[in-house]
């Protein structure tokens, strides 16, 4: 049997539930005992029940949070790159395959979303240029 990790993190919205993994029982079954709930957005860590987190458990949480934030940041930027691709595909679809009814169904929503995005991007770019000129 392969070595099991000491801890298991069950991913959930905004964080994870942390479990201690154990096979220390007569049947050698895998048991998972919840020891904490982690909220990655606000950094809140709530030990389960009356459990007091050990230094080792806290270190494992800190490592997991750091790795999870890197994963989520990579996914965010990947989603943005995919959005650019979708916009390109949408332009091609609108120009080459969309019917009048198709365009009527999506044009206003697309235009509003693109206007909103453009406004944010232009404002953010102006802020970056403004900061760079002060340096």
């Amino acid at each position: 049997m392969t070595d099991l990790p000491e801890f298991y993190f069950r991913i959930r919205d905004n964080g994870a539930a942390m479990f201690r993994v154990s096979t220390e029982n007569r049947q050698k079954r895998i048991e998972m005992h919840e020891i904490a709930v982690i909220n990655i957005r606000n950094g809140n860590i709530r030990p389960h029940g009356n459990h007091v987190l050990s230094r080792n458990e806290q270190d494992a949480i800190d490592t997991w949070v750091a790795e999870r934030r890197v994963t989520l940041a990579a996914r965010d930027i990947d989603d943005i790159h995919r959005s650019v691709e979708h916009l390109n595909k949408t332009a091609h679809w609108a120009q080459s395959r969309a019917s009048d009814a198709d365009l009527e169904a999506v044009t206003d929503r697309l235009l509003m979303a693109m206007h909103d995005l453009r406004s944010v991007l232009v404002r953010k770019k102006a802020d970056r240029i403004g900061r760079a000129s002060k340096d």
Side-chain angles (χ1 to χ4, degrees), residues 93-108 110:
W93 168 81
Q95 186 173 24
S96 63
R97 294 191 320 269
S99 69
D100 287 346
D102 292 337
L103 290 171
E104 189 61 36
V106 299
T107 296
D108 291 342
L110 273 170

Side-chain angles (χ1 to χ4, degrees), residues 20-133:
R20 177 174 297 285
V21 178
S22 173
T23 57
E24 300 297 320
N25 57 61
R26 280 189 270 160
Q27 297 85 17
K28 296 290 182 190
R29 290 185 188 163
I30 297 172
E31 293 180 351
M32 296 191 324
H33 304 282
E34 186 172 353
I35 58 176
V37 174
I38 305 152
N39 185 316
I40 200 163
R41 291 192 191 248
N42 64 17
N44 188 21
I45 299 167
R46 287 191 337 242
H48 186 72
N50 294 327
H51 184 81
V52 176
L53 294 173
S54 70
R55 181 75 248 153
N56 184 39
E57 292 167 340
Q58 185 62 53
D59 290 346
I61 290 169
D62 294 343
T63 299
W64 180 85
V65 167
E67 290 171 356
R68 185 69 179 158
R69 285 186 173 146
V70 168
T71 298
L72 293 174
R75 284 183 185 166
D76 280 349
I77 198 68
D78 186 56
D79 286 348
I80 299 307
H81 288 296
R82 288 174 192 266
S83 293
V84 171
E85 288 181 26
H86 284 291
L87 283 171
N88 284 309
K89 288 178 181 181
T90 301
H92 179 70
W93 168 81
Q95 186 173 24
S96 63
R97 294 191 320 269
S99 69
D100 287 346
D102 292 337
L103 290 171
E104 189 61 36
V106 299
T107 296
D108 291 342
R109 289 178 48 213
L110 273 170
L111 288 172
M112 290 302 296
M114 291 177 357
H115 174 74
D116 182 34
L117 176 60
R118 183 183 184 284
S119 298
V120 170
L121 293 175
V122 167
R123 183 177 66 250
K124 292 289 198 170
K125 177 111 182 176
D127 291 348
R128 288 193 313 276
I129 291 170
R131 283 194 308 269
S133 67

